[in-house]
Amino acid sequence: MAARIRSALPLLSKIVRSDSLSTQRSHSLQRTFLCPASQASRKFSTAPGKKEEKIKVPLALYGGSGNYASALFLAAKRANVLDKAESELVDLVEALNKSPTFSLFIKDLSVPKDTRIKAIEDICAQAKFSDVIKHFLLLLAENGRLRNVDTIIKRFVELTMADRGEVKAIVTSVIPLPPEEEKELKETLQEILGQGKKVKLEQKIDPNILGGLVVEFGQKVFDMSIKTRARQMERFLREPVNF
């Protein structure tokens, strides 16, 4: 998937140099996709005349990025393509990270709206994205929100993880944890969560913590790094001693 996206990148140069889309076509896109973020999910995939299933987002997200992510979640859930949508967006992020040209195009506000729309249409066709993701990206292009797509995708992944009952734990260490230590830590966190939830462990390497671990788990941070212990010891030693 990511390879197909990268293969479509040469289209960007061609599109940017080409003539703009007709005003009539741009107005048509505006009527089709331009809508408040809170109503966007109904524009993505709901078939006319079909009774909508009662679906709720598993987390309350706020702000513009949260609204777009929530609308996309509802649309993908109704269309029964939630896993596929997440996979396609992960591939899109990978393509953004690997292609400076693509990333610059996405964030460049000077690119005309109709040019952005044409480029997204061609990239979606080349990458064979689902209709939900195609319509979503076109909505972002129409509303000038493509520059926020990476943040929106992160919020969307938060929703898909919550929907699966997954809780992400970020473990920071100086070197990668040995498999047995990773397994033990994951089991410990799983016991804290209890049944119905699943820990998804993500490792980060940071030599600056000097040693030990920093575990970010839900809304909590357990800082067991040598760097933090050294700072605590320094504060203790600087305190006046009363004899």
Side-chain angles (χ1 to χ4, degrees):
M1 175 70 74
R4 288 204 299 267
I5 297 174
R6 291 194 295 272
S7 69
L9 297 183
L11 289 171
L12 290 176
S13 298
K14 179 180 178 181
I15 292 167
V16 171
R17 290 195 298 267
S18 67
D19 293 335
S20 297
L21 298 175
S22 67
T23 302
Q24 181 180 358
R25 184 161 182 259
S26 181
H27 287 171
S28 176
L29 278 170
Q30 184 173 358
R31 290 193 301 269
T32 304
F33 300 113
L34 185 58
C35 59
S38 60
Q39 300 175 3
S41 62
R42 292 198 295 271
K43 295 291 184 179
F44 295 153
S45 61
T46 303
K50 183 179 179 180
K51 186 177 180 180
E52 292 186 9
E53 181 185 352
K54 291 292 184 180
I55 298 175
K56 295 182 179 180
V57 291
L59 292 175
L61 302 182
Y62 302 97
S65 297
N67 289 339
Y68 277 100
S70 298
L72 176 57
F73 175 87
L74 293 174
K77 190 78 170 178
R78 288 192 182 104
N80 198 28
V81 293
L82 195 59
D83 291 342
K84 180 176 175 59
E86 182 179 10
S87 176
E88 291 174 349
L89 291 178
V90 169
D91 287 335
L92 179 65
V93 171
E94 182 183 345
L96 284 170
N97 292 336
K98 290 185 176 181
S99 173
T101 301
F102 189 26
S103 180
L104 181 62
F105 171 79
I106 290 293
K107 298 181 183 299
D108 190 353
L109 296 178
S110 67
V111 177
K113 178 172 66 176
D114 49 6
T115 303
R116 292 196 304 266
I117 291 171
K118 173 60 177 172
I120 292 300
E121 284 180 335
D122 289 341
I123 288 173
C124 288
Q126 186 77 18
K128 299 181 179 179
F129 280 157
S130 61
D131 286 343
V132 168
I133 295 301
K134 175 185 174 182
H135 295 165
F136 173 70
L137 293 176
L138 285 171
L139 178 66
L140 295 185
E142 177 70 27
N143 291 353
R145 297 286 184 176
L146 277 177
R147 66 187 185 277
N148 305 121
V149 67
D150 50 351
T151 302
I152 295 171
I153 291 173
K154 287 180 182 177
R155 306 306 301 277
F156 175 75
V157 171
E158 290 179 26
L159 293 174
T160 57
M161 287 183 61
D163 186 63
R164 292 190 296 264
E166 295 177 348
V167 177
K168 181 165 68 173
I170 302 176
V171 182
T172 304
S173 57
V174 174
I175 59 174
L177 291 178
E180 60 274 12
E181 291 186 15
E182 179 183 356
K183 182 175 180 292
E184 184 178 352
L185 176 60
K186 191 172 182 178
E187 289 175 350
T188 300
L189 296 176
Q190 188 66 60
E191 288 179 5
I192 297 173
L193 275 180
Q195 294 183 351
K197 298 289 184 180
K198 182 180 179 181
V199 175
K200 188 173 182 180
L201 211 59
E202 177 182 321
Q203 288 198 46
K204 293 176 63 176
I205 305 301
D206 184 4
N208 293 322
I209 69 171
L210 304 179
L213 297 174
V214 178
V215 181
E216 301 171 57
F217 184 59
Q219 301 299 320
K220 299 180 179 180
V221 177
F222 302 94
D223 193 338
M224 300 167 283
S225 65
I226 292 178
K227 182 177 182 179
T228 297
R229 292 178 183 177
R231 286 177 177 173
Q232 293 172 344
M233 180 66 72
E234 181 182 3
R235 286 196 297 268
F236 175 76
L237 294 175
R238 289 180 181 275
E239 291 178 357
V241 179
N242 296 322
F243 294 98

